[in-house]
Amino acid sequence: MNSLRPLTLAVSMALLATPFAAQAENVRIAFIDPLSGPFAPVGQNQLKSFQMIADIANKKKWAGEHTLEVVGFDNKGSPQESLTQLKAVIDQGYRYITQGSGSGAGLALLDQINKHNDRNPGKEIVYLNYAAIDPDMTNSKCSFWHFRFDAHSDMKMEALTTYMAGLKDIKKVYIIGQNYAFGQSVSKSGKAYLKRKRPDIEIVGDDLHPIGQVKDFSPYIAKIKASGADTVITGNWGSDLALLIRAAKDADLKADFYTYYAVTTGVPTAVGAAGEGRVKIVGNWTVNDGLRGRDIVDAFKLKYKDDYYTAQTHSALGMLANAMKAAKSTDPVKVAFALEGAKFQSLNGGVMMQKVDHQLQQSLFIATWSKKDGKSVVYDQENTGYGWKIDKKIDAYVAGQPTSCQMKRPSA
C-alpha cells in the first residue's frame, strides 16, 4: 500500500500544477452578419478579419491556454434573420456573439439577448458589437451584456464637424444616408452639430433612401448637383456607398464627400482616381497612421488577397482575451465584469471600455483619399494606387459624448 503513495502524490501535484491547462477551452464566437446579398463582400471581409485576429490571438496565447474561434452565420442583412441565427447559435451552445453591419440588426439582437439572459441565468450571452453605431445602443438601450468597440455615429460626427468647422470653403452641405437607425442618426447629428459649430453653413438637402435596394443613385446625385452643394455627408456603406460614389463620378459632381465607411469593400475601387483629394473619411484607424497593424495588413493580403480595414476586430478579441485572463474564467458574466473599465493597446493606440455605458473610448481621425507615395500613403486599397492620408488625429475626449445610460448589472 505504501508503495503507491509516491505515485499518487506525484499525480496529485501534477494536477495542481496545471489547473489552467486542464480547464482550457475553445471559446466559440458567432459572427452574425451579411454573408450573402448586397453587403456580402463587407461581411466576408470582416469575418476573415476576425478569423485572422483569432489565429494571432491563439498563437500568441492572448487568452492563456484558452483559444478563440470565430464562426460565420449569415443574417442576410435582416433583423429578422439575425434573430433566427441567434436562436441557432444559442441552441449550439455559443455564449459570445459579434455583429456590426447594421444597427437595425444590432438593436434586434440586443433586445433578444437581454430577454434570453433574463430568462436563462447561467446561460448568458455577451454581445461584442464591432460596428453597429446607433448611439441609442449605449444610451437609452444600453445593456450590461453589450460592448461597443467602434465609436458611435454621434462621436464620429463630433469629430467630423470639428474638422469641418475650420474649413471656410464649406458653404453648402447635402446629407444623404440609408433609411434606418444609423442613417437617421447621422442626419440628425449632422444638422445639429453644424448649426452649433458653423451656423453660416447652409444645409441644402437631406435625403434618406432604402438600405441595399437602390441600384441607380443618379436621381439622388442630380438633386445634389442642382442644390449647389460643395460638400456631401453620408453614412452609407458597402454597395450603397460604392454606387453613390460611382453615380457622382459619372455625373461629374465636384462636391467633396465626407464619409464614415469609404474603406468598406468595393468603395475604394468605385472612388478610384476621380476621388483623389475629394473623398474623406472619419474613422478609428488607417494603416497609414504609422502606429500598429502593418504586420496584420501584410498577412491578411498574403492570405486572402484582400485588405484588412476593421481595426475593431483586433480590439474586440484582444480585450475579450485579456478579460478572460483577468477573470480567470470564460464565463460570460465574469468576463463582462472584467471588460468594464478595461484598457488596451489597440491598433490606434490606447483605448478604454467605459464602464458607465460600455462604449469604447478611442482616438479618431480624418483622412483623405490620396495617391500612394510611399511616405504619408504607404498602403493603398484594392490595388487602386490610392489610399488614406491622415489629415487630423482627434483625441478621444474631443469626440466623447454624454450618455443617458442607466445600466442594470447582475450580482457579481
Side-chain angles (χ1 to χ4, degrees):
M1 293 292 290
N2 289 345
S3 63
L4 294 177
R5 286 178 182 170
L7 177 60
T8 303
L9 180 62
V11 171
S12 298
M13 291 298 290
L15 289 172
L16 287 172
T18 58
F20 195 68
Q23 297 170 16
E25 296 179 35
N26 180 49
V27 179
R28 297 180 302 159
I29 303 155
F31 173 95
I32 303 176
D33 258 331
L35 299 174
S36 63
F39 300 116
V42 176
Q44 294 282 0
N45 174 283
Q46 292 173 332
L47 173 59
K48 291 171 185 173
S49 298
F50 268 111
Q51 291 171 336
M52 168 72 77
I53 300 300
D55 287 344
I56 294 170
N58 294 339
K59 287 174 185 174
K60 295 187 175 181
K61 296 187 179 296
W62 287 2
E65 295 304 314
H66 299 307
T67 55
L68 305 177
E69 179 184 7
V70 183
V71 181
F73 291 83
D74 184 12
N75 72 357
K76 302 179 176 65
S78 159
Q80 293 76 23
E81 187 64 27
S82 298
L83 297 183
T84 299
Q85 295 292 12
L86 178 63
K87 183 179 186 306
V89 305
I90 289 172
D91 290 346
Q92 293 176 41
Y94 285 79
R95 305 291 297 280
Y96 295 91
I97 74 151
T98 188
Q99 182 273 340
S101 292
S103 294
L107 286 162
L109 286 168
L110 181 56
D111 179 65
Q112 193 59 36
I113 287 169
N114 286 335
K115 291 174 181 175
H116 167 84
N117 290 353
D118 285 346
R119 297 167 184 165
N120 298 276
K123 297 181 179 180
E124 293 86 356
I125 306 291
V126 165
Y127 171 16
L128 308 172
N129 174 359
Y130 72 93
I133 61 173
D134 179 359
D136 269 353
M137 297 179 78
T138 47
N139 280 288
S140 65
K141 293 181 170 61
C142 70
S143 167
F144 176 78
W145 310 109
H146 167 262
F147 295 85
R148 176 153 50 200
F149 295 87
D150 198 359
H152 66 61
S153 62
D154 286 357
M155 298 169 75
K156 290 186 177 183
M157 187 60 76
E158 192 75 64
L160 190 64
T161 52
T162 295
Y163 175 78
M164 292 174 68
L167 303 178
K168 299 306 180 185
D169 289 344
I170 298 178
K171 305 291 186 185
K172 296 183 177 183
V173 170
Y174 200 109
I175 302 173
I176 183 169
Q178 298 150 315
N179 192 12
Y180 75 110
F182 163 57
Q184 293 159 12
S185 69
V186 169
S187 171
K188 180 180 177 181
S189 61
K191 288 179 287 189
Y193 296 0
L194 283 175
K195 183 177 181 180
R196 168 162 51 93
K197 299 173 186 180
R198 281 284 304 277
D200 60 302
I201 290 177
E202 184 182 357
I203 305 298
V204 295
D206 184 16
D207 275 337
L208 293 171
H209 62 81
I211 182 171
Q213 297 179 36
V214 179
K215 304 303 179 187
D216 178 10
F217 278 90
S218 58
Y220 292 98
I221 294 299
K223 288 177 65 178
I224 295 171
K225 202 168 185 178
S227 74
D230 52 60
T231 303
V232 176
I233 295 176
T234 181
N236 278 19
W237 55 278
S239 61
D240 278 345
L241 182 54
L243 291 171
L244 179 68
I245 294 284
R246 194 167 286 128
K249 185 164 58 176
D250 291 345
D252 197 29
L253 178 65
K254 299 301 185 185
D256 290 342
F257 275 73
Y258 284 76
T259 79
Y260 281 47
Y261 291 119
V263 295
T264 53
T265 305
V267 179
T269 298
V271 174
E276 182 180 3
R278 296 199 299 108
V279 176
K280 297 178 182 287
I281 189 168
V282 56
N284 60 2
W285 176 78
T286 173
V287 66
N288 290 314
D289 71 2
L291 284 176
R292 301 169 182 83
R294 294 187 175 185
D295 56 335
I296 297 172
V297 171
D298 291 339
F300 195 82
K301 191 81 166 182
L302 183 65
K303 184 172 183 178
Y304 296 114
K305 306 296 186 289
D306 199 357
D307 297 318
Y308 176 88
Y309 53 76
T310 307
Q312 306 91 276
T313 59
H314 179 271
S315 53
L317 293 189
M319 294 185 81
L320 176 67
N322 280 0
M324 289 175 178
K325 289 176 74 174
K328 296 182 173 59
S329 174
T330 62
D331 177 74
V333 179
K334 294 178 181 178
V335 171
F337 275 112
L339 275 169
E340 291 193 313
K343 296 180 180 179
F344 184 67
Q345 283 297 315
S346 192
L347 302 184
N348 61 343
V351 301
M352 187 270 289
M353 182 58 70
Q354 191 162 264
K355 182 176 179 179
V356 67
D357 58 357
H358 294 184
Q359 170 62 60
L360 195 71
Q361 303 298 302
Q362 59 192 315
S363 297
L364 298 176
F365 66 83
I366 311 296
T368 298
W369 186 245
S370 305
K371 195 170 183 62
K372 181 178 176 180
D373 60 7
K375 297 177 182 178
S376 56
V377 184
V378 177
Y379 288 80
D380 69 348
Q381 260 201 285
E382 297 184 356
N383 303 312
T384 59
Y386 293 84
W388 299 102
K389 180 180 179 179
I390 296 288
D391 295 316
K392 187 175 182 62
K393 196 83 177 264
I394 296 171
D395 292 333
Y397 75 88
V398 176
Q401 299 286 296
T403 181
S404 60
C405 177
Q406 298 291 325
M407 189 175 291
K408 297 179 181 178
R409 291 174 171 80
S411 300

